[in-house]
Amino acid sequence: MARRRRYLFVCVNRRPDGQPRGSCAARGSVELHAALKAELAARQLDRFEVRACTSSCLDACWVGPCIAVTPDDVFYGRVTVEDVPELVDALERDQRLDRLLLAPEDFLDPKERRSGG
Ligand code: FES
């Protein structure tokens, strides 16, 4: 297989129910990863352009499901299965999907934000 132009790392980490941080898997990231793979394959982007991989925790659980895109150095958050066509549209056009981009402050644990740290 060829090296793809982009790799998407979809966090599929799962924590036990009731854990305060929650997890991307509990918010639907396993289904999101499957939908991304299917959409990329349907558009024949999977062989040379984009590979959808899974990852462990990206440490922004509170805004999950999260996706890291390399080599773009982009993080998406709060991504749902319904976002997949629009996200793949953006990848096809070499663009970012601004409405799902995570800002630097999104990586701060809400508890740290409340305490000012
Ligand atoms: S569980 Fe997905 S970012 Fe932490």
Side-chain angles (χ1 to χ4, degrees):
M1 280 291 188
R3 176 176 168 170
R4 284 30 162 235
R5 291 182 60 224
R6 289 193 174 87
Y7 289 79
L8 308 182
F9 292 94
V10 182
C11 171
V12 293
N13 186 47
R14 182 181 297 280
R15 293 196 175 87
D17 289 344
Q19 220 276 350
R21 273 185 135 190
S23 64
C24 290
R27 295 187 180 98
S29 66
V30 173
E31 296 79 5
L32 171 64
H33 173 254
L36 272 167
K37 283 191 81 84
E39 186 72 20
L40 292 167
R43 300 192 198 193
Q44 299 183 344
L45 297 173
D46 56 332
R47 290 180 59 87
F48 300 104
E49 297 295 321
V50 186
R51 179 162 172 80
C53 306
T54 58
S55 88
S56 58
C57 180
L58 298 168
D59 215 13
C61 322
W62 38 90
V63 290
C66 298
I67 301 174
V69 184
T70 185
D72 300 355
D73 194 23
V74 159
F75 287 85
Y76 291 117
R78 306 176 185 92
V79 187
T80 68
V81 167
E82 289 71 31
D83 295 319
V84 165
E86 194 179 354
L87 185 54
V88 176
D89 285 347
L91 290 163
E92 246 183 332
R93 292 191 304 258
D94 279 335
Q95 294 175 343
R96 297 174 178 184
L97 184 52
D98 289 345
R99 69 179 181 82
L100 295 178
L101 285 175
L102 290 180
E105 57 270 23
D106 288 322
F107 287 84
L108 295 175
D109 185 319
K111 283 183 298 196
E112 294 171 346
R113 279 189 238 174
R114 278 195 298 274
S115 66

